[in-house]
Amino acid sequence: DFHHWEIAGHAFSIDSHNLPSGLNSLDEPQLKEEMDSLRDWLYENGFGRASFAYPKGAAAPEVRQYVERDYCSGRVTAMGPETLPPRDEYTLRGWSINGLESDQQDVEAAVDKAVADRTWLMLSSHDIFGGEAGAPTDFNETEFNAVVDYVRALQKQGKLKVRTVGDAVAPHCAD
């Protein structure tokens, strides 16, 4: 609440999340149990359901049906950019930053391009830490903070507006 960050649905269990194709790897009864458990956990813990981030970006029709049932939008891992309004609220294109391939300058260049093109850039970082990236999900803490400062400066200049997915796509969503 303090930073107005959105907690999105993602997976109930780490085992399901880590399957080769994420939730797409589950059979129907397992998928139903996973999605029902996640929805219930979010509700019981006071979190909204404006958005869902597909584990590994995998959004098979079987998974999407539950996302459409329980959430106002869903984000895949396609670098984007996304349009506003989006072409499909259940396959929003978001960039899950790969710390082995991208650094601060790459992310800032993507921000600049989105500003210039008047598009929506959704950024996701997984493991923020000090040191050099050792896995695709790693991103250096110093570089992350620099990107945050860069975006904040552009926002203060009125060049962009930072929004949660819920703010941008689903303000009508009743959680």
Side-chain angles (χ1 to χ4, degrees):
D1 287 342
F2 180 73
H3 292 289
H4 191 67
W5 287 21
E6 180 179 322
I7 304 299
H10 193 47
F12 181 71
S13 71
I14 193 68
D15 290 338
S16 294
H17 175 280
N18 288 343
L19 290 169
S21 296
L23 302 182
N24 289 359
S25 298
L26 299 173
D27 65 26
E28 178 56 33
Q30 293 169 320
L31 178 59
K32 182 178 184 333
E33 175 66 25
E34 177 76 15
M35 296 302 284
D36 288 350
S37 296
L38 176 59
R39 179 201 59 219
D40 295 347
W41 186 92
L42 290 168
Y43 175 76
E44 291 165 5
N45 288 280
F47 293 108
R49 294 189 325 264
S51 67
F52 182 86
Y54 296 97
K56 300 186 170 122
E62 296 80 11
V63 175
R64 182 181 167 133
Q65 74 175 337
Y66 288 103
V67 175
E68 288 179 358
R69 179 192 74 179
D70 295 333
Y71 302 87
C72 295
S73 62
R75 181 190 52 78
V76 297
T77 52
M79 193 167 168
E82 186 56 75
T83 59
L84 270 177
R87 80 218 183 300
D88 181 344
E89 291 180 350
Y90 290 96
T91 55
L92 299 171
R93 296 168 284 192
W95 182 19
S96 185
I97 300 168
N98 180 331
L100 295 175
E101 298 174 355
S102 301
D103 61 14
Q104 172 189 342
Q105 290 77 27
D106 296 325
V107 177
E108 289 177 1
V111 170
D112 290 341
K113 181 163 177 33
V115 169
D117 295 346
R118 302 180 57 84
T119 57
W120 181 19
L121 180 65
M122 285 177 268
L123 300 173
S124 297
S125 298
H126 287 81
D127 300 316
I128 309 298
F129 71 101
E132 190 173 319
T137 54
D138 295 344
F139 199 73
N140 178 273
E141 179 180 15
T142 302
E143 290 190 2
F144 177 82
N145 289 333
V147 169
V148 170
D149 290 343
Y150 184 72
V151 168
R152 183 181 313 131
L154 291 176
Q155 185 176 15
K156 285 182 178 180
Q157 296 168 21
K159 294 182 177 180
L160 61 77
K161 181 174 181 178
V162 175
R163 304 179 194 185
T164 65
V165 173
D167 289 342
V169 174
H172 62 282
C173 184
D175 290 331

